[in-house]
Amino acid sequence: MSYCVHCGVELAPSEARCPLCQTPVVDPAAPYDPTLPREFPIRSREQRLEINPWTTLALAAVLLSVPALICLLIDLLANGRLVWSLYPIGAFGMIFLGILPPVTLRKNVFFWTVAADVGALCLYLWLVQSLSGGEWFQTVVFPVLLLLGIMLVAMASSIRQGMLKGLGIPAMGLLLICVVTLAVDLLITATLTAQVRITWSAFVMIPCGIISAMLWLVHRNRALRSELKRKLHL
Amino acid sequence: MEEQRGVRQWFRLDNAAKLYPAISSVQWTSMFRLSFVMMEAVSPQRLEEAVNQVLPRFPAFRVRLRKGLFWYYLEENSDRFRVTEDAGHPCAPLGQGENSGYLFRVKYGVRRISLEMFHALADGTGGLVFLKCIVAQYLRLQGTPVPCEEGVLDPRCPPNPEELEDAYRKIPLDGVHASRREEAAYQMPGTPDPPHTLRLILAQMSVAEVKARASVYGATITEYLTAVMVFTLWQSQQRGHWQRRLPVKVSVPVNMRKFIPTRTVRNFAFYLNVGIDPKLGTYTFEETVQLIHHAMRYGMNPKFLFAGIATNVASERNILIRLCPLPVKNFVLSFVYHRVGERLFTTTLTNVGAVRLPSVMAEQIERAEMMLGASSSYRSNCAAISLRDKLCLTFTRDIAETDFERNMLRFLIREGIPVRVSSNQE
Ligand SMILES: [Zn+2]
């Protein structure tokens, strides 16, 4: 008989891992034998298929394509050609792409959701630009969205891996706001005046930057943190 | 029991049972399961034969659920009962038209005979009487003469009307006006599982060892296990940062047959919520055991329990509630139960206690198991039963995490009680 090295419980021979803490059975004298009968039946096929993500997706596809088709029909009947219906149809497509990862994925949901949302939004805005004209998409919107997506993913993964915690999280959040504002400002100014110059974003960046730096200092400095706690305790 | 000649027999649901059909859905039904693990392999044909021979003795279970205008009711079901193979996760909600409308399942495993029951039919005590009779009859068909003693009923006798009574109606309610108002309890965190999933962990230990440890604190086994549960839950609550300091409470079903003698095999249980309040400071384990011990001793008095039941019975007898059409009742009951009722306790500990069996029968059974079906509010529950020196604690949960089980069992091990676990994990 084997015991969990972590919990100290005796494990039934049919257990490959400790059911309490998932530690694998380590017993050179009696290694786990997968052919042994289980003490309890495991999940049946029907139970495993209980929530089928593809059913949800099919349902979403139907629910979104009905209004899309209606838009298309009305537009065609009223104008004889496509005038405005591509805007709502593109929006429905964007919604569908956005819900794809959270419904289907079990791992890395946040990363793929952000990636899909940024991707879907980019596609939609590119569609809007190509329908209505202009150059704003590739000059401003696309770089900003890409930057925002990358930074959100980086921040979320460093929070999850424990690299970012406590006051470091709001400090980094404020820094993210600074960077995005700066990017928007620089890109817009560069497009309009063909000069690389900081204009209005300074009003956002200065207070955010100061607060972020203060939070970061307090976060990093143990002595300062305890001093502040002592002086400011309620 | 009401009866008319030439017409199918029918029953009113008892007071506790009225709740269960109303709060059930396709996704969730209040179920529990009792099993005997036999020494030898089970023969499905003999088992099915045994169930069908025993069923006429239990008219209260030989029924299907029907809708009236004002209440659900149970109608006699004379179809042949079919046993099923024990596959998949246990205690799945009863499907529409499944099993010819019977409200219980009898499942056979390699060596395990299980009875899964809808709570509207019976409580654990009633279910155990039924399972004992089924297994006794099964053993008789296998050639072991099992005497009708130790609570094994004789399937050849006509049913005793006392076994079918709604015992809640026997409770003296004159002058009871109390209502038990309770604070919402701490709820364990967890990632919900999809419906029809029930993960279980069976922990086996020795009755003598648990009893010895419990007596060190001057407590019974139930009090001791409840205290371990409350204490470890409180410890993990303290580790959480954003949890409100709500009381940690365990709901312990009380068998009311102790207070009002009845032979009923239907529901006759009530609940006592005991626990500790973190707002009053920190606790040691000794303090927790003492608090639980006294709370249970105090709570187990007929006056206190009857007052709780009185509220339920009074609302059942209220003419305005009675005149409410069934769909309205269902909506209100299920809303109140899921929003309020399930929030009053953190988890459940059902202790069916020691199973008494005729000795020839006990020799053929390795152990008894009891488990609760999924709870509607995503948590882990626990049920205990013992046969001879084997105490089986079955934890059933519809969340992914095992923190509750792990903390409780590790605590028991540190207390010096060896624990053996098995599970239905993949
Ligand atoms: Zn372990």
Side-chain angles (χ1 to χ4, degrees), chain A residues 31 55 62 65 96 98 112 115 143 161 166 179 183 195 205 209 227:
Chain A
T55 320
V62 170
S65 58
F96 184 75
W112 288 110
Q161 283 166 14
V179 173
Q195 283 174 313
M205 274 162 52
E227 178 69 23

Side-chain angles (χ1 to χ4, degrees), chain A residues 2-17:
Chain A
S2 304
Y3 288 81
C4 171
V5 289
H6 200 53
C7 303
V9 291
E10 184 191 332
L11 300 167
S14 55
E15 303 294 324
R17 288 162 287 131

